[in-house]
Each structure stands twice: as structure tokens, then as C-alpha cells.
Amino acid sequence: MNRVCFPIVKSAFVALLAIASFANAEETKTVKADPAKGEALYNTGDATRNITACIACHGAAGNSSISQNPKLTGQAGAYLHKQLLDFKGPARNNPVMTGIAKAMTEEDIQNVVAYLSKQKTSPGAARNPATVELGKKIYRGGIAEKHVPACASCHGATGGGIPAQFPRLAGQHQDYTTAQLVGFRSGTRKNSEPMTQIAKRMSDDEIQAVADYVAGLK
């Protein structure tokens, strides 16, 4: 009996695996990113689901002209994806983004990220000559006496970041970067323990100097 049943059971198991593989393939196919749909959602939103058009705050093609709102182009897709998921939970609490992110499906997020990843980043510029050298010194060498590591060690020499781990900083608005560092320091932004500890050791002047310096990186 065992010799007869084993092939039957094995065949049934193989069949189940085939069905599961097909189902997984169909699911993956269903959520495959579509940049065209992402562009449509980015530019017009979806009023039926209370998703505001991203362009209203983040500008055409993700190049925000509002200094308090980040430029989204140039960021790694995996990093943008993580931030939108973080807005859904307690890690990043924002009165505007939390509501929008909660209304977005996984497919919405992947589509918008796919669209943004194809866009060109507009350059920024440092605007305070008096602090550029301080910002450069901290970014490249850190602050040894405060145990603040060089920003470049994680975000790269030119501010390009490391996909999925550390964001691109080059060209980002000074006001936005400053606000995020202050948020890490105060604990209102909670989705990076290393940044929380680093920001706690930085003064307002040091934060502003770094934010201004990275705005001019390319």
C-alpha cells in the first residue's frame, strides 16, 4: 500500500505546488508597478479615496518648489516605498501624509514610486556662504568631540545616498532637511534610531549648516 500511495501523494503535492506557484505569479503580475498609473495618481489624485494629488505639494515630476516639502525625484524607489509605509504607522506622523498614505494601496505606492524613479532631479544650491565650510566639515568629517559621524559615511560623498537604507540628500531643500533633523532630535520623527541619536548631538547652527551644504551637492 505504501508503495502505491507515495507516488499519488507526491503527485498531489507537486500539483499543489504548481497551483501555488501559479497563484503567486498571478498576484505578482497584479501588483506589477505601472509608471503611467503612478503618473496619473501623482498628478490628479483620487477624490473617491481621499488621495490628494501629490503634485500639489511636491511639484511637477516630484521637483517641489516649496521649501518645506521634499523633492522626491532622485530618491531610490525602495526608500520612497518605505517612507510611505512608515507614514501609515506611528514611525512618521504627518497630518497630511499619514491620511494620504493610509488611503493608498500597495499597488498605488508601487505605481507612484515607479513614476518618480523615472524623473529628473532639479539642482539646488547652498545659500549661506558664512556656513558652507562648517556644513562641509561636518558632512565630510563629522564632529569628533560630539561623536557625530560624517554624514558622507552613510549618504555618500556627493549626497547620493544608499538605496533603501539612506536617502539622497543632494539638492534637497534646506528647510526640509533642517526640519527632519530637528524632528529626529525631538523624537517627532521616529523611523531611524541612528539618526535620532546623531541629531540629538547637533546644535541648531550645525543642523542648519549641514542642511545648507547638502542643498548644493550634485
Side-chain angles (χ1 to χ4, degrees), residues 52-72:
T52 305
C54 313
I55 193 173
C57 293
H58 296 286
N63 283 302
S64 167
S65 60
I66 303 171
S67 65
Q68 289 78 20
N69 298 332
K71 297 178 183 179
L72 302 179

Side-chain angles (χ1 to χ4, degrees), residues 41-199:
L41 188 61
Y42 183 91
N43 288 327
T44 62
D46 187 337
T48 64
R49 294 187 289 147
N50 295 318
I51 300 177
T52 305
C54 313
I55 193 173
C57 293
H58 296 286
N63 283 302
S64 167
S65 60
I66 303 171
S67 65
Q68 289 78 20
N69 298 332
K71 297 178 183 179
L72 302 179
T73 52
Q75 293 291 2
Y79 181 80
L80 288 176
H81 184 272
K82 179 182 182 300
Q83 299 313 302
L84 284 167
L85 293 182
D86 285 351
F87 277 123
K88 288 175 178 279
R92 293 195 71 175
N93 186 18
N94 180 283
V96 175
M97 282 306 306
T98 294
I100 294 172
K102 284 183 176 180
M104 295 177 73
T105 65
E106 175 63 20
E107 183 177 1
D108 292 331
I109 291 174
Q110 289 193 22
N111 289 344
V112 170
V113 167
Y115 164 67
L116 288 171
S117 68
K118 295 178 177 293
Q119 309 310 306
K120 299 290 185 180
T121 305
S122 63
R127 62 191 181 198
N128 190 349
T131 65
V132 166
E133 283 305 313
L134 175 60
K136 179 180 178 180
K137 179 181 177 182
I138 296 172
Y139 188 86
R140 295 187 176 184
I143 312 171
E145 63 272 21
K146 291 186 175 183
H147 304 289
V148 172
C151 312
S153 62
C154 291
H155 296 282
T158 59
I162 298 176
Q165 298 180 58
F166 307 109
R168 174 188 174 90
L169 300 180
Q172 190 57 269
H173 293 304
Q174 289 94 332
D175 291 345
Y176 177 76
T177 301
T178 296
Q180 299 317 298
L181 286 169
V182 171
F184 280 125
R185 186 176 65 184
S186 67
T188 55
R189 179 170 173 176
K190 306 173 183 178
N191 65 338
S192 174
E193 183 58 26
M195 282 307 308
T196 295
Q197 296 306 315
I198 292 168

